[in-house]
Amino acid sequence: MPLLSDGSGVAPSEPGLLSGPHRPRTLAIAATFFLVAFAGLALGTAMPIAVQELNALPLYAIAFGGYLSASLAGTVVGGGWADRRGPAAPLNAGCLCFVGGSVLAGAAPSITPFLAGRLLQGAGGGAVTVALYVMVGRGYPAALRPRMFSVVTACWILPSMVGPAIAGAVTEHLSWRWVFHGIAVFTLVATALLRRPLAALPHDGTQPEEPTTRVGPAVTVAFGAGLLQYAGSQASPRTAVLAVVGLLAVAAGLRGLLPAGTLRARPGIPALVLVRGLTAGAYFTIESYVPLLLVNERGWSPTAAGYSLTCAALAWAAASWLQGRPRLFPRRERVILLGALIHAAGTAVTLAGVLRAAPAVTAPVGFTVAAFGMGLLLPSVGVLTLDQSPPGRQGVNTAALQVADSLCSVLLIGVCGALFNALHTAAGTDAAAFAAAFAAALAVTLLASLTARRVGTPASTTAAPTDQLA
C-alpha cells in the first residue's frame, strides 16, 4: 500500500490497530506501556524523599543517571538479541531484571544498595524498551506505526493523573519503599500480559549484521558513564581522575554503538539519533530536578510536586496524538523541528521559574510546554527511524536511538549534578544551583533545534554494516 508523504497515511482498506490480526498485540502493548508510565511517574514522585531519607542528597543525580547508565548496556544487548531471536526473550529477561532492581531498591537500608537496585532497573528497562519498539516495527505495517505511537503515548494519560497522587500518598502516609515494591508487582503483571502476543509475533529470520560485537562497546560506555556520574557527585582530585577515565571509556565505546556521522548530524538516521539524544537528555534532566526544586525551594508536598509530572505527561500525550494526524502535519520532518523549538521554549520558561520573583507555578508550566514539544518530536523520530531501517536492522537502529537517549541524559545529568553540587548550600537556598542545571539543559535544546533541520534527507539504508557504525 502506498504511504502518504510522511509514511503515516492509512488507506481505508488497511486493517486498523484494533482489527482482528492486530487487536491482541495492540491491547497487550498498550497495557504494558500503561504500567511503564505508572512506574516512571511513581518513581519520579518518590525519588526526592527516598534520597533524603537515605541521607544522600549529593547523590541525587546518580539515582537517576545510574539508571540511564545501566540502560545503555541493556538497550544494546536487548536490541541485538531482538534482531536475532525476536523480542520475546529480551523483553522477559528485562522485566525480571527490573523486578529484582525494584525489590532491592525498596528494601535498601542505605544509599549503596539503593543505587545497585537502580542499576538493575536500568538494565532491565533498556532491554524492555527496545524490545517493545521491535514489536511495533515487526507487528505493524509502516502506515500504522504513527498511530500506534500515538496509542502508546495516550497510555500515559491515566497514569499521569493518578500515578503521582497515589505515589505521593503512599510516600507521605506509608513509605517510599512501598512505591518500589508495588512497581515490582506491576512489572510482573506486564510480563504476563505480553506472553501470548509475543508468541504470536512473526519472525522473518533476517540475521542482523555484526550481532555480538556491540556488547563490549555498550558495557564500556555504560561503565564510563557511571564513572562520570560518580565524579560529578563528589568533586576532588581523585574523582577528577575518574572523570577522565570515564570520558576515555565513553569515547572508546561510542564508535561501535551509533550510526556513522551521528556526531556530525549527517542527514537521515544519524541526525535522527542525535536529535533524539539531545532533546531527551535536556528533557529528562529537567524532569529529574523540577520535583526537587518544588519540594526544596518552594515548599510543595511530594504529591503536589508530582502533579507537575502529571501535567507534563498530559501535554506529551496530547502532542503525540496530534502528530499521528497526517492532515495536521503532512511532513514529519517539520513536526520534529517544531517539537524541538517548543521544547527549547519550554526549557527557557522552566529556567525563569527558578527566580524567586516568578510565581511558583512557572517552572512546572515551562516543563509542561517542553513536554508538549517532546510529544511531537519523539514519536516522529521513532517513525522515521523504523521507516528507514530494513527488517534486519530495526533492533540495531532502535537501540541506537535508546543509546543516544540514555547517554546524553547520563552525561547532561552528570554535568548538571556537578554544577548543582558545586553551588549547593542548603535546601531552600539553592536557586543558583537549579539555575545552573536548567541553563545547561537550555543550551542543549538550542543545539537540538539546529540539528533538527537536518533530518529531512535520509541517509542510505543499504550501506555496508561497518559504514553504519560511528
Side-chain angles (χ1 to χ4, degrees), residues 90-179:
L91 195 145
N92 289 329
C95 284
L96 293 178
C97 190
F98 192 88
V99 168
S102 299
V103 172
L104 177 59
S110 64
I111 191 61
T112 300
F114 179 82
L115 294 178
R118 290 290 289 166
L119 291 177
L120 282 175
Q121 283 184 319
V128 168
T129 302
V130 72
L132 288 172
Y133 266 76
V134 173
M135 283 189 70
V136 174
R138 293 188 178 181
Y140 300 91
L144 286 179
R145 290 171 191 160
R147 293 193 177 182
M148 189 60 209
F149 280 117
S150 295
V151 169
V152 165
T153 306
C155 293
W156 285 72
I157 295 177
L158 183 58
S160 70
M161 298 174 67
V162 302
I166 293 175
V170 171
T171 300
E172 291 178 30
H173 300 294
L174 294 174
S175 171
W176 59 268
R177 299 179 186 277
W178 286 100
V179 176

Side-chain angles (χ1 to χ4, degrees), residues 198-220:
L198 281 168
L201 194 68
H203 178 51
D204 58 19
T206 304
Q207 292 296 316
E209 301 91 345
E210 303 185 37
T212 61
T213 58
R214 292 159 48 86
V215 176
V219 173
T220 300

Side-chain angles (χ1 to χ4, degrees), residues 288-314:
S288 66
Y289 279 100
V290 164
L292 187 65
L293 170 71
L294 296 176
V295 171
N296 282 11
E297 297 297 307
R298 298 291 189 169
W300 290 22
S301 69
T303 302
Y307 274 119
S308 66
L309 304 181
T310 297
C311 295
L314 290 174

Side-chain angles (χ1 to χ4, degrees), residues 11-455:
S13 60
E14 182 68 51
L17 293 175
L18 295 178
S19 63
H22 297 309
R23 183 184 299 112
R25 186 178 306 118
T26 298
L27 294 177
I29 293 176
T32 302
F33 272 106
F34 177 91
L35 296 175
V36 168
F38 184 87
L41 291 162
L43 293 175
T45 301
M47 195 71 67
I49 303 302
V51 175
Q52 285 182 7
E53 286 193 7
L54 294 173
N55 297 316
L57 187 59
L59 300 179
Y60 182 78
I62 295 182
F64 281 92
Y67 177 100
L68 297 172
S69 296
S71 72
L72 286 169
T75 293
V76 173
V77 172
W81 198 354
D83 278 339
R84 296 193 304 275
R85 303 296 183 185
L91 195 145
N92 289 329
C95 284
L96 293 178
C97 190
F98 192 88
V99 168
S102 299
V103 172
L104 177 59
S110 64
I111 191 61
T112 300
F114 179 82
L115 294 178
R118 290 290 289 166
L119 291 177
L120 282 175
Q121 283 184 319
V128 168
T129 302
V130 72
L132 288 172
Y133 266 76
V134 173
M135 283 189 70
V136 174
R138 293 188 178 181
Y140 300 91
L144 286 179
R145 290 171 191 160
R147 293 193 177 182
M148 189 60 209
F149 280 117
S150 295
V151 169
V152 165
T153 306
C155 293
W156 285 72
I157 295 177
L158 183 58
S160 70
M161 298 174 67
V162 302
I166 293 175
V170 171
T171 300
E172 291 178 30
H173 300 294
L174 294 174
S175 171
W176 59 268
R177 299 179 186 277
W178 286 100
V179 176
F180 281 81
H181 293 319
I183 295 305
V185 175
F186 288 144
T187 306
L188 290 175
V189 172
T191 306
L193 288 174
L194 286 167
R195 182 175 179 181
R196 291 183 63 185
L198 281 168
L201 194 68
H203 178 51
D204 58 19
T206 304
Q207 292 296 316
E209 301 91 345
E210 303 185 37
T212 61
T213 58
R214 292 159 48 86
V215 176
V219 173
T220 300
V221 170
F223 175 74
L227 288 180
L228 290 172
Q229 283 288 315
Y230 178 76
S233 67
Q234 301 182 23
S236 70
R238 180 175 63 88
T239 55
V241 174
L242 292 179
V244 173
V245 174
L247 285 173
L248 293 175
V250 169
L254 192 60
R255 182 176 178 83
L257 299 180
L258 300 180
T262 297
L263 299 182
R264 301 190 304 274
R266 178 190 296 176
I269 287 179
L272 289 168
V273 169
L274 185 58
V275 168
R276 168 67 180 263
L278 293 174
T279 54
Y283 179 82
F284 291 117
T285 296
I286 297 172
E287 182 184 54
S288 66
Y289 279 100
V290 164
L292 187 65
L293 170 71
L294 296 176
V295 171
N296 282 11
E297 297 297 307
R298 298 291 189 169
W300 290 22
S301 69
T303 302
Y307 274 119
S308 66
L309 304 181
T310 297
C311 295
L314 290 174
W316 188 315
S320 181
W321 181 85
L322 288 174
Q323 66 80 34
R325 311 300 97 181
R327 292 184 180 180
L328 293 177
F329 297 105
R331 291 191 61 183
R332 195 150 297 276
E333 297 85 354
R334 293 184 178 178
V335 180
I336 294 174
L337 177 58
L338 177 63
L341 293 172
I342 293 175
H343 179 27
T347 304
V349 175
T350 305
L351 173 59
V354 174
L355 301 175
R356 282 289 180 180
V361 298
T362 303
V365 167
F367 180 49
T368 300
V369 173
F372 187 88
M374 290 292 284
L376 292 175
L377 184 146
L378 249 66
S380 297
V381 169
V383 168
L384 285 185
T385 300
L386 288 174
D387 288 348
Q388 296 175 16
S389 302
R393 292 194 63 84
Q394 286 179 336
V396 170
N397 287 337
T398 297
L401 291 178
Q402 301 296 330
V403 166
D405 183 319
S406 298
L407 182 59
C408 288
S409 298
V410 166
L411 294 178
L412 188 55
I413 289 176
V415 169
C416 291
L419 292 172
F420 184 89
N421 290 331
L423 298 173
H424 168 65
T425 55
T429 60
D430 279 336
F434 285 105
F438 293 154
L442 177 59
V444 173
T445 64
L446 296 176
L447 179 60
S449 298
L450 294 175
T451 306
R453 302 173 65 89
R454 299 177 59 82
V455 302

